[in-house]
Amino acid sequence: MAFSTSSSSLFLIFFVSFWLSLVLSSSAGNFNQDFQITWGDGRAKIINNGDLLTLSLDRFSGSGFQSKNEYLFGKIDMQLKLVPGNSAGTVTAYYLSSKGSNWDEIDFEFLGNLSGDPYILHTNVFSQGKGNREQQFYLWFDPTADFHTYSVLWNPKHIIFSVDGIPIRKFKNLESIGVPFPKNQPMRIYSSLWNADDWATRGGLVKTDWSKAPFTASYRNFNAINACVWSSGASSCTSSRKSATPTGNAWLSQELDSSSEGRLKWVQKNYMIYNYCADAKRFPQGFPPECKLS
Ligand SMILES: *[C@@H]1O[C@H](CO)[C@@H](O)[C@H](O)[C@H]1NC(C)=O
């Protein structure tokens, strides 16, 4: 009897998790629908009916893709699983960017490393063509062992970078003290896997080991349900037919609650390895204005 009880509860677990995965995946995007491969001559692939996208890199080329939509504000999630093993010299870039010489940009870049050595998560924010706002982090897990969720919450108040729901960086809107903030230029999502062994490995110290090629990074569960799609000069969030994204407008004014602020501090204290706002050598004339307020 014990046997039949456990097998029926096992069945229930399978059934529930199958149902849950259907519900969850139906809310996630489909790569065929939301993205297009832009370069790499067959090295980028959309597989499993649009559920999975892989990029690869070998000594001849990397590869990349971009979103079909442009967005002006959004809460955008993507799950990534990075190049495993010896990935030194490879860079997986995942970012939002507008066009033109005064572009805005929100960057995640994952710098590979030798087997067993930690990846670096490099972040930056450009507003009106000016960046130089790098912060780098180690992660509290191995980002090559499994998929993890990397998110950007971009609303008129701030840009928050999160990893598995834990905020790692906040870039506040400080237009009030003259710091430009990305809020007028729609951005597309871009990603690429490329070779940067001339800078990514502590100034080119370690070279990419091409005998390990092809290097592969994978993507799944893109979610931009709470994002404003920009098309023909209008935002889906303000058009008359739809006043908000399906789950409402809350994300457009969302701020970090005190427990999230606490987790942000925890990450910055324990995992941040570079902060432009602490790099006095780089700013002999004084730190950029946003540094004094964050
Ligand atoms: C690679 O690992 C070394 C040794 O732990 C570390 O100093 C370095 O920051 C890591 N990342 C890169 C990109 O070199």
Side-chain angles (χ1 to χ4, degrees):
M1 285 308 109
F3 173 74
S4 72
T5 309
S6 67
S7 67
S8 68
S9 59
L10 210 60
F11 173 77
L12 196 69
I13 290 168
F14 276 127
F15 179 77
V16 168
S17 57
F18 175 69
W19 174 81
L20 212 61
S21 73
L22 277 186
V23 170
L24 291 176
S25 66
S26 66
S27 73
N30 178 293
F31 283 107
N32 285 314
Q33 187 185 303
D34 299 325
F35 291 91
Q36 66 196 57
I37 288 165
T38 42
W39 62 286
D41 201 16
R43 289 174 181 80
K45 293 190 179 77
I46 295 174
I47 54 181
N48 297 359
N49 293 318
D51 285 344
L52 189 70
L53 186 153
T54 59
L55 291 184
S56 76
L57 162 72
D58 57 39
R59 72 171 75 232
F60 305 106
S61 179
S63 51
F65 65 94
Q66 69 182 41
S67 62
K68 292 182 183 168
N69 285 330
E70 291 184 290
Y71 304 91
L72 186 60
F73 302 124
K75 191 171 186 303
I76 295 172
D77 304 331
M78 182 78 93
Q79 294 194 319
L80 276 76
K81 186 174 165 185
L82 299 165
V83 176
N86 179 355
S87 59
T90 71
V91 172
T92 306
Y94 170 68
Y95 59 104
L96 281 84
S97 180
S98 65
K99 292 211 163 68
S101 55
N102 291 317
W103 80 102
D104 299 326
E105 187 175 317
I106 303 170
D107 287 333
F108 281 107
E109 284 190 292
F110 301 89
L111 316 185
N113 215 332
L114 298 170
S115 296
D117 281 344
Y119 257 77
I120 289 177
L121 170 50
H122 174 100
T123 64
N124 204 352
V125 176
F126 286 71
S127 44
Q128 298 181 11
K130 188 189 158 296
N132 299 324
R133 299 192 175 102
E134 297 84 358
Q135 288 186 353
Q136 295 186 335
F137 305 84
Y138 286 145
L139 294 162
W140 49 95
F141 52 84
D142 173 1
T144 73
D146 212 336
F147 284 92
H148 290 270
T149 306
Y150 301 91
S151 312
V152 171
L153 169 63
W154 170 34
N155 69 28
K157 295 190 175 174
H158 47 221
I159 293 163
I160 294 167
F161 296 74
S162 304
V163 176
D164 291 335
I166 298 179
I168 62 162
R169 175 171 189 176
K170 177 163 77 171
F171 181 75
K172 265 168 73 173
N173 182 336
L174 292 172
E175 287 177 306
S176 58
I177 59 160
V179 182
F181 184 81
K183 67 165 206 289
N184 297 314
Q185 308 188 76
M187 300 201 232
R188 225 178 265 288
I189 301 164
Y190 297 87
S191 189
S192 56
L193 176 56
W194 48 288
N195 175 44
D197 65 0
D198 50 343
W199 71 270
T201 52
R202 286 168 285 155
L205 219 59
V206 183
K207 291 291 161 193
T208 302
D209 180 357
W210 293 114
S211 75
K212 301 292 189 301
F215 302 100
T216 304
S218 309
Y219 300 73
R220 70 176 194 196
N221 288 348
F222 169 67
N223 187 338
I225 287 177
N226 290 311
C228 306
V229 174
W230 186 263
S231 124
S232 328
S235 167
S236 62
C237 293
T238 52
S239 68
S240 52
R241 72 194 147 78
K242 196 168 84 176
S243 61
T245 50
T247 56
N249 267 337
W251 66 271
L252 259 171
S253 54
Q254 188 183 334
E255 307 226 40
L256 293 180
D257 59 21
S258 62
S259 79
S260 297
E261 286 287 355
R263 289 185 289 175
L264 174 65
K265 290 217 172 68
W266 171 77
V267 172
Q268 298 203 333
K269 175 164 179 274
N270 295 292
Y271 294 95
M272 186 189 270
I273 53 172
Y274 179 80
N275 181 4
Y276 75 111
C277 282
D279 190 350
K281 282 200 302 280
R282 203 170 148 193
F283 301 104
Q285 329 292 1
F287 286 111
E290 70 271 19
C291 292
K292 284 153 212 151
L293 280 170
S294 44

